[in-house]
Amino acid sequence: MASKAKPGHAIWETIKTIVYALLIAGVFRTLFFQPFWIPSGSMKETLLIGDFLFVNKMAYGYSYASCPNLKMPRFGIDIDAKNICGFLDGDNTRVFGGEPERGDVVVFRHPTSGRDFIKRLVGMPGDRIQVKAGVLQINSEPVKLDDAGVFEEVAEPQGPQQLRPRCENGPVGAGGICQKTRLTETLPNGVEHTILNIGNQASDNTGVYTVPEGNYFFMGDNRDNSSDSRLPQSAGGVGFVPYENLIGRADRIMFSSAGRSMLFFWTWRGDRFFKAIQ
């Protein structure tokens, strides 16, 4: 007759199992794929608030930014990537580095705040970037734009933060239809994607930005509702993003929820499950 395991031994085995599971999950998250929720509307309509995706970390290799941030204020936990992999910071290089391509949708670490951002890469090292009357100019050449109709969404609070969309058709009451002009933008390398326009504002007309070597220029697809490289870091924007701050490429939406919680199954967007990101 087999002897029963001692309670202390069983508890110890459980603890070891949990620790091993956390270590394996940490290695997987650091080396391969990082989960990412879309918290804002800066990348509409490519990415909607509540989209859930995995970031491909193997696409560009690894740097200090590949290590995860663990921030849980409620429990007093604030572990930054630099606390774990800070020894890799400062040289703007990567291990097994791969070059990003213009048009990639990239998750990167904000150069000053350390927060994770997701935007589209439009400016490569050495490029001269400018926006004139809302049209992106790359090396003094305007990108190709084609009319793609109108983007519509319900004017209501969205996601856990209950953010309200901005509308081109003026202030819209709760439950009304919020509209934005939709355009297809074609970058010099042939990458096509949708951008949205709300109206004329300061970010539609900028000076010329020359992207330094080892850095990149990012913009949101929802052009009039995005904090990105058009605003320098000194003014609270993103500015130029160093190569080592890239975390990975977003390739596919795995799941999407339009509600305040992913548990609200009646708000799931079934048409966005496993959708490729263009």
Side-chain angles (χ1 to χ4, degrees), residues 221-260:
D221 289 350
N222 191 0
R223 290 289 162 81
D224 294 335
N225 194 43
S226 174
S227 174
D228 49 40
S229 293
R230 288 172 288 179
L231 192 64
Q233 295 160 23
S234 59
V238 172
F240 303 122
V241 178
Y243 180 47
E244 67 178 352
N245 282 48
L246 307 186
I247 293 174
R249 186 181 64 218
D251 294 327
R252 189 173 297 274
I253 299 164
M254 304 304 295
F255 171 85
S256 185
S257 172
R260 298 187 65 176

Side-chain angles (χ1 to χ4, degrees), residues 52-75:
F52 175 79
L53 49 90
F54 282 104
V55 180
N56 180 1
K57 289 191 168 185
M58 297 176 285
Y60 310 136
Y62 308 97
S63 70
Y64 87 94
S66 302
C67 285
N69 291 322
L70 184 58
K71 298 181 183 296
M72 301 174 67
R74 291 178 60 184
F75 301 99

Side-chain angles (χ1 to χ4, degrees), residues 161-175:
Q161 299 181 56
Q162 295 290 275
L163 301 175
R164 291 184 176 273
R166 292 178 59 205
C167 311
E168 187 178 17
N169 55 328
V172 177

